[in-house]
Amino acid sequence: MSTSGPAQNGSVASRGGPRQRWIIADPHPEEAASLAKAARLPQVLAELLIARGITQPQEAFAFLNPEASHLHDPFLMLGMSAAVDRLERAIASREPVLLYGDYDVDGTTAVVLLKTAIEMLGGIVRFHVPHRLREGYGLQSSVLQTAHAEGIRLVITVDTGMRAFAEAETARHLGLDLIITDHHLADAHDALPDALAILNPNQPTCPYPEKSLCGAAIALKLAQAVLERRDPARTRDKTLPSFLKMAAIATIADAVPLKGENRVIAALGLRELRKPMGAGLRALFAAAALDPGARQLTGFDVAFRLAPRINAAGRMDVASDVIELFTTRDTTRAQELAAKLERLNRERRDTEAAALTAIENRLATDEELATARLLVVDGDGWHRGVIGILASRVVERTAKPALVVSVEDGVAHGSGRSVDGFPLLGALESCADLFTRFGGHAFAVGFALPAAALPELKRRLSLYAQRHLAAREPERLLRIHAELPLDRITPVLAGWLRKLEPLGHSNPEPVFVARNARMLAPLRLMKDRHIRLELTQDSANGACGVLRAIGWGMAFRAAELELREGSRINVAYRIRENDHPEYGGLEVEIVGMEPATA
């Protein structure tokens, strides 16, 4: 990435929020030209593929045309044979199996996948998904003890278990066979829980090629393995394509890198989601006002329309509703459950909005808080199911690391999100003695501590931030992937760019820059916050014609630049296809503007 100079990388402060800094990817003109010629691709698409590490024509073809044959053999995963052998014995003897999941999209869809596969083979399944507030995350010894008393002898975790050392010992003591399926990282030097089998591509010595599968995708591989043992042809042709629907939802929602096998799972699953056969999926689509038959589903639809409704169950109530939704064949019951998820999602949004308003008021009136390098905002009784979302919202608005804390019954429960270059877990580790529990990674953390310790936590984190963030001004980084003059935006190019779907982590939606664009008319202001422009750009062949542009929340920036008819600007943008019956067609969504330089 290049960061050299204001002419290429703008740094823009605005009344609309923290300054924006453009980081423009280094171009690879010769490599891109070679790949474009060899693979018969547009030059800009070749540039985008090279930025993703794809340099060979066959790699480009596979990336742009994912197929089921690109999925890996599940038996390459360490522990798979032992897990399948034990599961087959349980199915054959009609021995009930307990699936122990997590309450988010990844955990619940993983339970659905394995439950469906085992029952298809004639097995008996029970499941447990912990309550977020009453039980918290992870395997619980008390649940294992209850399961043993009820005759369970095989427990399979999904999306959890890599840190369940005490619980694995409980299972061993009770005589329970424990199979752990999880994707959370296990460092090479870390011990592993004592289990019959562990399915995790990240564990030491596991040869599985794709290391970044989500929890549901690992559950998919176990389901695929046990089904293929019974009927490989039917599994390949019918069952596996159907199962990819759930795995795709989880893969996109869990924000794992959308490359390699993850991309294949997400792309093929989205394709299958165009034909939602189950009563639950159809009801969920209806609740989300999505018609998969009317247009091609995207990663955005899953991440921002489906996933929040699924997650709402675990955030606001009980996640087991999701499993019932996706496994019921009763259309009426499916509609009831989808309506409940819709209601819970509205409650989640309302709860989040009320707390966010309180936080914004605090930031506006508390000068010490507003000027802090690292924000710690606490409130009484904020719903613990939304504090992670709130932390993300605060980071979006302030470009500062933020912890949001809910205080209830003398205990402070917190969730934090960070910014590039500031590992948030390290900040918490500097205060480790204050917490009753904490964990996470560089960008996201969770913790609990006595409410009486909150002032000391704020004091220590303030000192830590002064040492590690003192020289940094809050800024939003805008990563621009390629330069693309406006006259090169065509329906054909838009069609090629659609082949990058599904977009997401490690496969971001392309952001382009066009330099020295000229406004052909005065800007139109919409609702005092948004703008519409008509842009053209001079080229070797003359002006490129008129292209509509929309800028959501860009009114502040437009006022700063004093934009008027004839103004010349550099525009960072995404390409959009507007399907409005009257003024549809290609347009650009502005995500950044700066004055054009001569």
Side-chain angles (χ1 to χ4, degrees), residues 105-106 109 214 216 244-255 265-266 269-270 273 281 284-285 302-303 306-307 310 326:
V105 175
D106 195 17
T109 53
C214 68
L244 286 169
K245 298 172 186 176
M246 286 288 110
I249 292 172
T251 296
I252 294 168
D254 215 53
I265 291 170
L270 281 176
L273 281 168
L281 265 178
L284 183 64
F285 276 123
V302 171
L306 298 182
I310 299 171
F326 287 136

Side-chain angles (χ1 to χ4, degrees), residues 511-578:
V511 175
F512 303 106
V513 63
R515 303 189 187 280
N516 206 24
R518 176 165 50 91
M519 289 178 55
L520 287 179
L523 70 82
R524 287 175 49 203
L525 193 63
M526 302 183 297
K527 297 184 178 179
D528 297 323
R529 296 187 61 239
H530 316 301
I531 59 171
R532 273 200 175 276
L533 307 179
E534 292 182 3
L535 298 176
T536 190
Q537 189 176 19
D538 298 331
S539 68
N541 300 319
C544 73
V546 182
L547 194 64
R548 293 190 308 271
I550 189 165
W552 303 111
M554 299 294 292
F556 279 129
R557 185 64 182 142
E560 286 180 342
L561 296 176
E562 298 180 349
L563 294 187
R564 58 179 59 88
E565 184 177 353
S567 291
R568 290 184 176 271
I569 53 176
N570 297 333
V571 182
Y573 67 91
R574 301 185 182 101
I575 297 175
R576 290 285 180 258
E577 296 180 79
N578 192 327

Side-chain angles (χ1 to χ4, degrees), residues 3-150:
T3 58
S4 56
Q8 287 189 338
N9 299 282
S11 184
V12 178
S14 167
R15 288 176 295 159
R19 68 179 59 246
Q20 183 186 78
R21 178 158 64 92
W22 294 9
I23 300 179
I24 302 177
D26 291 325
H28 307 85
E30 294 181 3
E31 257 189 301
S34 175
L35 180 60
K37 181 179 180 181
R40 299 181 180 179
L41 303 173
Q43 172 94 4
V44 68
L45 183 60
E47 187 74 63
L48 294 172
L49 291 175
I50 288 170
R52 287 157 170 76
I54 299 167
T55 59
Q56 300 302 314
Q58 61 271 27
E59 292 177 313
F61 183 84
F63 185 89
L64 298 173
N65 302 277
E67 300 176 0
S69 61
H70 299 158
L71 295 170
H72 301 307
D73 180 354
F75 286 99
L76 293 174
M77 196 174 295
L78 182 65
M80 185 62 76
S81 291
V84 171
D85 288 345
R86 180 64 181 91
L87 183 53
E88 283 186 323
R89 290 202 306 272
I91 293 170
S93 61
R94 301 282 292 169
E95 174 188 343
V97 179
L98 176 66
L99 303 180
Y100 197 114
D102 189 20
Y103 39 67
D104 63 359
V105 175
D106 195 17
T108 52
T109 53
V111 171
V112 171
L113 284 166
L114 272 182
K115 182 176 186 294
T116 304
I118 295 169
E119 290 178 343
M120 285 176 65
L121 296 172
I124 301 171
V125 180
R126 299 174 190 169
F127 67 88
H128 180 81
V129 178
H131 191 282
R132 178 189 291 263
L133 303 186
R134 291 196 294 267
E135 296 176 77
Y137 173 80
L139 194 60
Q140 304 285 332
S141 289
S142 59
V143 177
L144 296 178
Q145 291 163 351
T146 301
H148 179 267
E150 294 175 351

